Amino acid sequence: MHLLDLDSEEEIRQAKSIYDKYLHRPRHMVDITYFDSLQNWNCTFRDPDNWGVRQTPAKPRVLHYFPRYKAIHSDAQFDDFCWAKLLLNHHHRSYDELLTVDDIRFDTYTEAFNWCQNSHLDYDDDRDGRGGRRSP
């Protein structure tokens, strides 16, 4: 996805979306999740390779995203919920990588998300309101 940006000469030009910038982030940022990049990192529209950590006293950004999917297994949108969780919390360089976790390719986002919850000991995510597992 690309956005339109107004440059200093007031000409309209095409610019990368924030998600595109995340996908093409510098190599040294390989382990940064999309959530972490949105909350704690700055990247300029004019120089997408120039990333920097937000400086003190800046606090992490509060993210509001829509639509908000229900974390209920029986809900028709549960697979969308799982997609959103994977998109935000798993580092990736292409959209297709969201179905591959720990080198295992899954058919659905629900399967991939369930694998993550059951196999990652450091799963500590209560943003979905279900009380994530805590690190030992």
PDB file of all heavy atoms in Angstrom, residues 29 37-38 40-44 50-55 61:
ATOM      1  N   MET A  29      17.129  -4.639  12.410  1.00  0.00           N
ATOM      2  CA  MET A  29      15.866  -4.610  13.143  1.00  0.00           C
ATOM      3  C   MET A  29      15.038  -5.861  12.881  1.00  0.00           C
ATOM      4  O   MET A  29      13.820  -5.849  13.025  1.00  0.00           O
ATOM      5  CB  MET A  29      15.071  -3.362  12.749  1.00  0.00           C
ATOM      6  CG  MET A  29      15.755  -2.066  13.128  1.00  0.00           C
ATOM      7  SD  MET A  29      14.829  -0.646  12.548  1.00  0.00           S
ATOM      8  CE  MET A  29      13.330  -0.811  13.487  1.00  0.00           C
ATOM      9  N   SER A  37       7.357  -1.691  16.653  1.00  0.00           N
ATOM     10  CA  SER A  37       7.737  -0.590  15.767  1.00  0.00           C
ATOM     11  C   SER A  37       6.731   0.557  15.839  1.00  0.00           C
ATOM     12  O   SER A  37       7.109   1.719  15.821  1.00  0.00           O
ATOM     13  CB  SER A  37       7.907  -1.077  14.323  1.00  0.00           C
ATOM     14  OG  SER A  37       6.663  -1.345  13.718  1.00  0.00           O
ATOM     15  N   LEU A  38       5.442   0.230  15.939  1.00  0.00           N
ATOM     16  CA  LEU A  38       4.423   1.273  16.037  1.00  0.00           C
ATOM     17  C   LEU A  38       4.479   1.991  17.377  1.00  0.00           C
ATOM     18  O   LEU A  38       4.282   3.204  17.458  1.00  0.00           O
ATOM     19  CB  LEU A  38       3.024   0.662  15.863  1.00  0.00           C
ATOM     20  CG  LEU A  38       2.687   0.128  14.481  1.00  0.00           C
ATOM     21  CD1 LEU A  38       1.367  -0.641  14.533  1.00  0.00           C
ATOM     22  CD2 LEU A  38       2.629   1.243  13.462  1.00  0.00           C
ATOM     23  N   ASN A  40       7.153   2.107  19.681  1.00  0.00           N
ATOM     24  CA  ASN A  40       8.413   2.631  20.229  1.00  0.00           C
ATOM     25  C   ASN A  40       9.415   3.186  19.226  1.00  0.00           C
ATOM     26  O   ASN A  40      10.474   3.650  19.638  1.00  0.00           O
ATOM     27  CB  ASN A  40       9.107   1.518  21.022  1.00  0.00           C
ATOM     28  CG  ASN A  40       8.277   1.055  22.178  1.00  0.00           C
ATOM     29  OD1 ASN A  40       7.870   1.837  23.023  1.00  0.00           O
ATOM     30  ND2 ASN A  40       7.983  -0.235  22.213  1.00  0.00           N
ATOM     31  N   TRP A  41       9.144   3.108  17.948  1.00  0.00           N
ATOM     32  CA  TRP A  41      10.119   3.529  16.950  1.00  0.00           C
ATOM     33  C   TRP A  41       9.571   4.658  16.082  1.00  0.00           C
ATOM     34  O   TRP A  41       8.377   4.742  15.849  1.00  0.00           O
ATOM     35  CB  TRP A  41      10.501   2.354  16.051  1.00  0.00           C
ATOM     36  CG  TRP A  41      11.288   1.307  16.759  1.00  0.00           C
ATOM     37  CD1 TRP A  41      10.814   0.334  17.589  1.00  0.00           C
ATOM     38  CD2 TRP A  41      12.696   1.128  16.727  1.00  0.00           C
ATOM     39  NE1 TRP A  41      11.832  -0.444  18.066  1.00  0.00           N
ATOM     40  CE2 TRP A  41      13.017   0.025  17.542  1.00  0.00           C
ATOM     41  CE3 TRP A  41      13.730   1.791  16.068  1.00  0.00           C
ATOM     42  CZ2 TRP A  41      14.307  -0.419  17.736  1.00  0.00           C
ATOM     43  CZ3 TRP A  41      15.023   1.338  16.256  1.00  0.00           C
ATOM     44  CH2 TRP A  41      15.296   0.256  17.084  1.00  0.00           C
ATOM     45  N   ASN A  42      10.475   5.487  15.590  1.00  0.00           N
ATOM     46  CA  ASN A  42      10.140   6.543  14.635  1.00  0.00           C
ATOM     47  C   ASN A  42      10.802   6.238  13.305  1.00  0.00           C
ATOM     48  O   ASN A  42      11.929   5.760  13.253  1.00  0.00           O
ATOM     49  CB  ASN A  42      10.645   7.908  15.124  1.00  0.00           C
ATOM     50  CG  ASN A  42       9.846   8.438  16.279  1.00  0.00           C
ATOM     51  OD1 ASN A  42       8.644   8.202  16.369  1.00  0.00           O
ATOM     52  ND2 ASN A  42      10.502   9.150  17.174  1.00  0.00           N
ATOM     53  N   CYS A  43      10.097   6.543  12.245  1.00  0.00           N
ATOM     54  CA  CYS A  43      10.625   6.398  10.892  1.00  0.00           C
ATOM     55  C   CYS A  43      10.054   7.542  10.070  1.00  0.00           C
ATOM     56  O   CYS A  43       8.837   7.751  10.063  1.00  0.00           O
ATOM     57  CB  CYS A  43      10.211   5.054  10.301  1.00  0.00           C
ATOM     58  SG  CYS A  43      10.723   4.840   8.596  1.00  0.00           S
ATOM     59  N   THR A  44      10.898   8.255   9.371  1.00  0.00           N
ATOM     60  CA  THR A  44      10.410   9.408   8.610  1.00  0.00           C
ATOM     61  C   THR A  44       9.869   8.977   7.256  1.00  0.00           C
ATOM     62  O   THR A  44      10.288   7.971   6.692  1.00  0.00           O
ATOM     63  CB  THR A  44      11.525  10.436   8.390  1.00  0.00           C
ATOM     64  OG1 THR A  44      12.525   9.850   7.562  1.00  0.00           O
ATOM     65  CG2 THR A  44      12.137  10.889   9.705  1.00  0.00           C
ATOM     66  N   ASN A  50      15.824   5.406   7.852  1.00  0.00           N
ATOM     67  CA  ASN A  50      16.267   6.103   9.054  1.00  0.00           C
ATOM     68  C   ASN A  50      15.278   5.850  10.184  1.00  0.00           C
ATOM     69  O   ASN A  50      14.293   6.550  10.331  1.00  0.00           O
ATOM     70  CB  ASN A  50      16.390   7.602   8.772  1.00  0.00           C
ATOM     71  CG  ASN A  50      16.969   8.356   9.937  1.00  0.00           C
ATOM     72  OD1 ASN A  50      17.479   7.766  10.876  1.00  0.00           O
ATOM     73  ND2 ASN A  50      16.887   9.671   9.881  1.00  0.00           N
ATOM     74  N   TRP A  51      15.555   4.821  10.994  1.00  0.00           N
ATOM     75  CA  TRP A  51      14.707   4.451  12.121  1.00  0.00           C
ATOM     76  C   TRP A  51      15.402   4.839  13.414  1.00  0.00           C
ATOM     77  O   TRP A  51      16.619   4.739  13.536  1.00  0.00           O
ATOM     78  CB  TRP A  51      14.472   2.948  12.143  1.00  0.00           C
ATOM     79  CG  TRP A  51      13.552   2.439  11.090  1.00  0.00           C
ATOM     80  CD1 TRP A  51      13.798   2.353   9.752  1.00  0.00           C
ATOM     81  CD2 TRP A  51      12.243   1.935  11.275  1.00  0.00           C
ATOM     82  NE1 TRP A  51      12.722   1.832   9.096  1.00  0.00           N
ATOM     83  CE2 TRP A  51      11.749   1.555  10.014  1.00  0.00           C
ATOM     84  CE3 TRP A  51      11.435   1.766  12.390  1.00  0.00           C
ATOM     85  CZ2 TRP A  51      10.487   1.012   9.838  1.00  0.00           C
ATOM     86  CZ3 TRP A  51      10.182   1.208  12.213  1.00  0.00           C
ATOM     87  CH2 TRP A  51       9.714   0.849  10.953  1.00  0.00           C
ATOM     88  N   GLY A  52      14.643   5.245  14.397  1.00  0.00           N
ATOM     89  CA  GLY A  52      15.214   5.563  15.696  1.00  0.00           C
ATOM     90  C   GLY A  52      14.230   5.267  16.812  1.00  0.00           C
ATOM     91  O   GLY A  52      13.020   5.398  16.640  1.00  0.00           O
ATOM     92  N   VAL A  53      14.755   4.878  17.953  1.00  0.00           N
ATOM     93  CA  VAL A  53      13.922   4.615  19.120  1.00  0.00           C
ATOM     94  C   VAL A  53      13.444   5.954  19.665  1.00  0.00           C
ATOM     95  O   VAL A  53      14.196   6.922  19.702  1.00  0.00           O
ATOM     96  CB  VAL A  53      14.714   3.852  20.201  1.00  0.00           C
ATOM     97  CG1 VAL A  53      13.886   3.653  21.456  1.00  0.00           C
ATOM     98  CG2 VAL A  53      15.199   2.526  19.671  1.00  0.00           C
ATOM     99  N   ARG A  54      12.177   5.986  20.070  1.00  0.00           N
ATOM    100  CA  ARG A  54      11.642   7.207  20.681  1.00  0.00           C
ATOM    101  C   ARG A  54      12.467   7.545  21.913  1.00  0.00           C
ATOM    102  O   ARG A  54      12.803   6.675  22.706  1.00  0.00           O
ATOM    103  CB  ARG A  54      10.175   7.019  21.032  1.00  0.00           C
ATOM    104  CG  ARG A  54       9.310   6.930  19.783  1.00  0.00           C
ATOM    105  CD  ARG A  54       7.884   6.543  20.106  1.00  0.00           C
ATOM    106  NE  ARG A  54       7.283   7.293  21.179  1.00  0.00           N
ATOM    107  CZ  ARG A  54       6.509   8.368  21.005  1.00  0.00           C
ATOM    108  NH1 ARG A  54       6.270   8.805  19.808  1.00  0.00           N
ATOM    109  NH2 ARG A  54       5.986   8.988  22.034  1.00  0.00           N
ATOM    110  N   GLN A  55      12.783   8.800  22.084  1.00  0.00           N
ATOM    111  CA  GLN A  55      13.669   9.234  23.151  1.00  0.00           C
ATOM    112  C   GLN A  55      12.902   9.586  24.423  1.00  0.00           C
ATOM    113  O   GLN A  55      11.757  10.010  24.384  1.00  0.00           O
ATOM    114  CB  GLN A  55      14.466  10.453  22.689  1.00  0.00           C
ATOM    115  CG  GLN A  55      15.346  10.183  21.478  1.00  0.00           C
ATOM    116  CD  GLN A  55      16.411   9.150  21.757  1.00  0.00           C
ATOM    117  OE1 GLN A  55      17.099   9.218  22.775  1.00  0.00           O
ATOM    118  NE2 GLN A  55      16.551   8.178  20.875  1.00  0.00           N
ATOM    119  N   ARG A  61       3.723   4.799  22.398  1.00  0.00           N
ATOM    120  CA  ARG A  61       2.438   5.217  21.845  1.00  0.00           C
ATOM    121  C   ARG A  61       1.348   4.236  22.265  1.00  0.00           C
ATOM    122  O   ARG A  61       1.578   3.039  22.374  1.00  0.00           O
ATOM    123  CB  ARG A  61       2.508   5.243  20.319  1.00  0.00           C
ATOM    124  CG  ARG A  61       3.432   6.286  19.767  1.00  0.00           C
ATOM    125  CD  ARG A  61       3.478   6.172  18.239  1.00  0.00           C
ATOM    126  NE  ARG A  61       4.413   7.098  17.667  1.00  0.00           N
ATOM    127  CZ  ARG A  61       5.663   6.797  17.329  1.00  0.00           C
ATOM    128  NH1 ARG A  61       6.117   5.567  17.498  1.00  0.00           N
ATOM    129  NH2 ARG A  61       6.452   7.703  16.812  1.00  0.00           N
TER     130      ARG A  61
END
